[in-house]
């Protein structure tokens, strides 16, 4: 187990004081997070905290594989699940900048199966009562989860049950590729008229298919050529590699009796086969802290990286403003269910949650912070006001098990003293 209060950017070591952090207060972060491992709730974790583009704090603690007694290391590979979504959203907006579509375009223009959507009104999963949708799903509705789609794992509505009955709960039916899955979702009813409410859903997977249609490339190929290659994200992929046997962290869930992290290979091993069929733009990637830190640094710099630019800064500004109906927050317009953020004081842009009101959020943060997380309790955020980026990696499913993300906020911001 290792823990360091200083980190190296290239060959240069950055003193946290130079970046506005009190080193003793930074140690509070690791002291607190170690308790999650020492009492068995987490297998291990890795944290990277950067400001002004320089790494102020990088620490690791615990195991990537408890049973094999393997520590978390700098090259440990993590399943990032829904932290795939912002990458897919960036890919979509790269094509937008090339004039490939307009945000108000109906999705059916590019994926015809979405032409005549129906909305659930009453009845059960076997005999639902439906009505025609009042308007079409637009591309922007996919980006901000107001399309009316869902996830089968929500377990709160008949619509979710319909998804599960078709084999869509925590994954996709065997042999289904992205195109087939998207057409299946288009054949199932919407929860509400597009653009009227917020429901966390497979919408970003549909975006992945849109990227394929518009670019003429597989989603994996587009990511490799247009995002991962330019940013040097060499360990981020949909596809299992032999090297993952040595570097991939095991996946854990909490034991319902003890709360301790318990290995779950049924979910963990799915990565080795799923990418061959289903390129999930909503949750299919694995990555490392270094790789995802490069993606976050590009976002912090307004779409720029050392070798060029992925997005224009005005585009990124547009993506990270609240786009929910009536400029409401998720508490007002979101359907109350699991998501990777709290609802109070938080809106949603085109691919990211956006802090609107830190006081309502109830957590130390800044207006304009944009973020998301993954089902295995991974998380990232970018705070433009403080010029701060945070990447947190672990492997505990589901992410709602512990309030690690809000705890990280209070611990990180208390260490800022400039």
């Amino acid at each position: 187990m290792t823990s360091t209060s200083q980190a190296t950017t290239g060959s240069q070591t950055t003193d946290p004081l130079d970046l506005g952090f009190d080193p003793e207060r930074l140690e509070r972060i690791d002291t607190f997070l170690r308790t999650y491992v020492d009492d068995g709730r987490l297998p291990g974790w890795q944290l990277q905290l950067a400001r002004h583009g320089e790494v102020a704090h990088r620490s690791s603690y615990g195991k990537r594989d408890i049973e094999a007694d393997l520590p978390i290391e700098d090259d440990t590979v993590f399943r990032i699940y829904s932290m795939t979504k912002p990458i897919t959203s960036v890919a979509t907006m790269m094509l937008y900048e090339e004039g490939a579509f307009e945000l108000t375009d109906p999705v059916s223009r590019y994926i015809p199966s979405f032409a005549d959507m129906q909305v659930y009104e009453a009845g059960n999963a076997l005999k639902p009562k439906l009505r025609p949708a009042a308007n079409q799903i637009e591309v922007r509705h996919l980006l901000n989860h107001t399309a009316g789609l869902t996830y089968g794992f929500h377990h709160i509505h008949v619509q979710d049950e319909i998804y599960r009955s078709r084999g869509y709960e925590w994954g996709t039916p065997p042999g289904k590729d992205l195109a087939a899955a998207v057409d299946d979702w288009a054949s199932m009813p919407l929860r509400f008229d597009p653009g009227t409410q917020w429901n966390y859903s497979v919408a970003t997977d549909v975006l992945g298919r849109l990227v394929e249609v518009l670019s003429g490339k597989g989603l994996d190929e587009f990511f490799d050529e247009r995002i991962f290659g330019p940013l040097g994200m060499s360990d981020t992929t949909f596809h299992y590699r032999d090297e993952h046997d040595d570097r991939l962290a095991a996946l854990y869930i909490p034991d319902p009796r003890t709360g301790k992290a318990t290995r779950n290979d049924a979910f963990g091993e799915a990565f080795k086969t799923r990418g061959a069929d289903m390129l999930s733009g909503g949750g299919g990637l694995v990555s490392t802290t270094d790789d995802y830190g490069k993606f976050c640094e590009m976002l912090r710099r307004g779409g720029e990286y050392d070798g060029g630019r992925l997005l224009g800064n005005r585009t990124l500004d547009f993506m990270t403003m609240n786009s929910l109906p009536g400029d409401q927050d998720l508490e007002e317009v979101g359907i109350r269910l699991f998501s990777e953020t709290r609802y109070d004081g938080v809106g949603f842009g085109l691919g990211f949650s956006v802090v609107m009101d830190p006081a309502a959020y109830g957590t130390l943060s800044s207006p304009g912070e944009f973020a998301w997380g993954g089902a295995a309790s991974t998380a990232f955020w970018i705070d433009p006001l403080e010029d701060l980026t945070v990447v947190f990696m672990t492997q505990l499913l589901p992410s709602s098990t512990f309030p690690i993300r809000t705890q990280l906020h209070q611990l990180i911001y208390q260490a800022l003293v400039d």
Side-chain angles (χ1 to χ4, degrees):
M1 298 179 180
T2 61
S3 180
T4 58
S5 59
Q6 290 187 334
T8 300
T9 303
S11 59
Q12 179 182 0
T13 300
T14 304
D15 188 334
L17 278 171
D18 293 338
L19 299 174
F21 287 97
D22 181 324
E24 291 186 4
R25 284 177 167 262
L26 280 176
E27 284 300 325
R28 294 179 180 179
I29 304 170
D30 293 355
T31 298
F32 178 82
L33 289 175
R34 279 195 291 265
T35 64
Y36 271 107
V37 176
D38 292 343
D39 65 15
R41 289 175 293 167
L42 284 183
W45 49 263
Q46 189 164 78
L47 173 69
Q48 180 170 294
L49 170 60
R51 199 176 191 208
H52 311 316
E54 300 289 334
V55 176
H57 187 78
R58 168 89 172 223
S59 54
S60 305
Y61 191 76
K63 307 295 182 181
R64 70 178 186 269
D65 188 320
I66 296 172
E67 291 73 20
D69 195 31
L70 297 174
I72 288 182
E73 297 177 315
D74 283 345
D75 66 350
T76 295
V77 175
F78 301 88
R79 300 161 193 81
I80 62 171
Y81 290 115
S82 286
M83 279 167 56
T84 305
K85 287 180 170 69
I87 296 174
T88 303
S89 299
V90 164
T92 303
M93 295 305 287
M94 290 170 70
L95 292 169
Y96 170 78
E97 289 190 326
E98 295 170 5
F101 65 91
E102 292 190 62
L103 291 169
T104 54
D105 283 346
V107 175
S108 60
R109 181 174 299 176
Y110 311 105
I111 306 175
S113 54
F114 281 94
D116 298 304
M117 297 303 296
Q118 302 283 305
V119 176
Y120 171 87
E121 280 200 322
N124 58 37
L126 293 176
K127 293 184 177 181
K129 179 183 178 182
L130 309 178
R131 64 166 174 82
N135 50 283
Q136 294 209 50
I137 299 174
E138 299 172 0
V139 177
R140 59 179 173 173
H141 299 148
L142 297 176
L143 283 156
N144 69 5
H145 291 281
T146 62
L149 303 167
T150 195
Y151 273 121
F153 60 71
H154 286 326
H155 286 260
I156 64 167
H157 191 267
V158 171
Q159 182 198 30
D160 313 330
E161 184 181 351
I162 292 171
Y163 273 54
R164 292 194 301 275
S165 72
R166 299 280 294 273
Y168 295 97
E169 184 169 9
W170 284 101
T172 54
K176 290 277 186 179
D177 63 8
L178 179 57
V182 165
D183 285 344
D184 280 351
W185 296 325
S187 72
M188 292 182 258
L190 300 177
R191 177 75 182 272
F192 47 76
D193 288 314
T196 60
Q197 290 182 270
W198 186 90
N199 192 45
Y200 191 40
S201 74
V202 297
T204 315
D205 285 291
V206 180
L207 279 180
R209 178 58 184 157
L210 182 66
V211 169
E212 292 188 331
V213 171
L214 294 174
S215 69
K217 301 177 183 292
L219 191 60
D220 52 353
E221 185 181 1
F222 187 93
F223 280 2
D224 287 342
E225 291 181 3
R226 300 290 302 275
I227 299 176
F228 301 155
L231 294 181
M233 296 172 64
S234 58
D235 287 319
T236 306
T237 181
F238 286 113
H239 302 293
Y240 173 74
R241 303 170 183 166
D242 290 340
E243 66 185 88
H244 288 132
D245 282 335
D246 297 323
R247 299 168 54 202
L248 182 66
L251 185 66
Y252 295 83
I253 60 173
D255 186 297
R257 297 166 300 168
T258 66
K260 294 184 182 296
T262 304
R263 191 182 185 109
N264 189 317
D265 284 337
F267 275 84
E269 295 295 302
F271 162 67
K272 295 183 178 181
T273 57
R274 189 180 182 205
D277 294 323
M278 175 65 179
L279 301 177
S280 171
L285 291 174
V286 296
S287 189
T288 62
T289 300
D290 283 341
D291 270 15
Y292 213 87
K294 293 173 183 176
F295 180 70
C296 289
E297 174 63 8
M298 177 274 296
L299 296 174
R300 184 195 71 85
R301 290 166 61 171
E304 182 187 13
Y305 64 99
D306 288 342
R309 181 174 288 279
L310 293 187
L311 283 173
N313 57 354
R314 274 74 167 179
T315 301
L316 193 58
D317 287 346
F318 188 71
M319 294 174 70
T320 55
M321 66 174 61
N322 184 37
S323 66
L324 296 179
D327 198 32
Q328 299 176 92
D329 68 7
L330 290 172
E331 182 67 23
E332 295 171 298
V333 75
I335 292 175
R336 176 59 67 175
L337 42 71
F338 164 80
S339 77
E340 301 293 349
T341 183
R342 292 180 57 150
Y343 282 35
D344 304 74
V346 179
F348 205 87
L350 303 181
F352 309 92
S353 63
V354 183
V355 173
M356 302 168 65
D357 183 348
Y361 185 29
T363 302
L364 276 172
S365 55
S366 301
E369 170 198 302
F370 58 99
W372 205 240
S377 302
T378 60
F380 83 95
W381 76 83
I382 291 122
D383 182 338
L385 186 65
E386 297 289 357
D387 204 21
L388 178 74
T389 65
V390 177
V391 178
F392 179 77
M393 296 292 198
T394 187
Q395 293 285 263
L396 184 79
L397 187 78
S399 59
S400 56
T401 306
F402 302 115
I404 296 173
R405 293 167 186 169
T406 49
Q407 291 168 341
L408 275 172
H409 275 77
Q410 69 192 72
L411 288 162
I412 288 170
Y413 284 90
Q414 63 83 32
L416 274 172
V417 294
D418 62 354

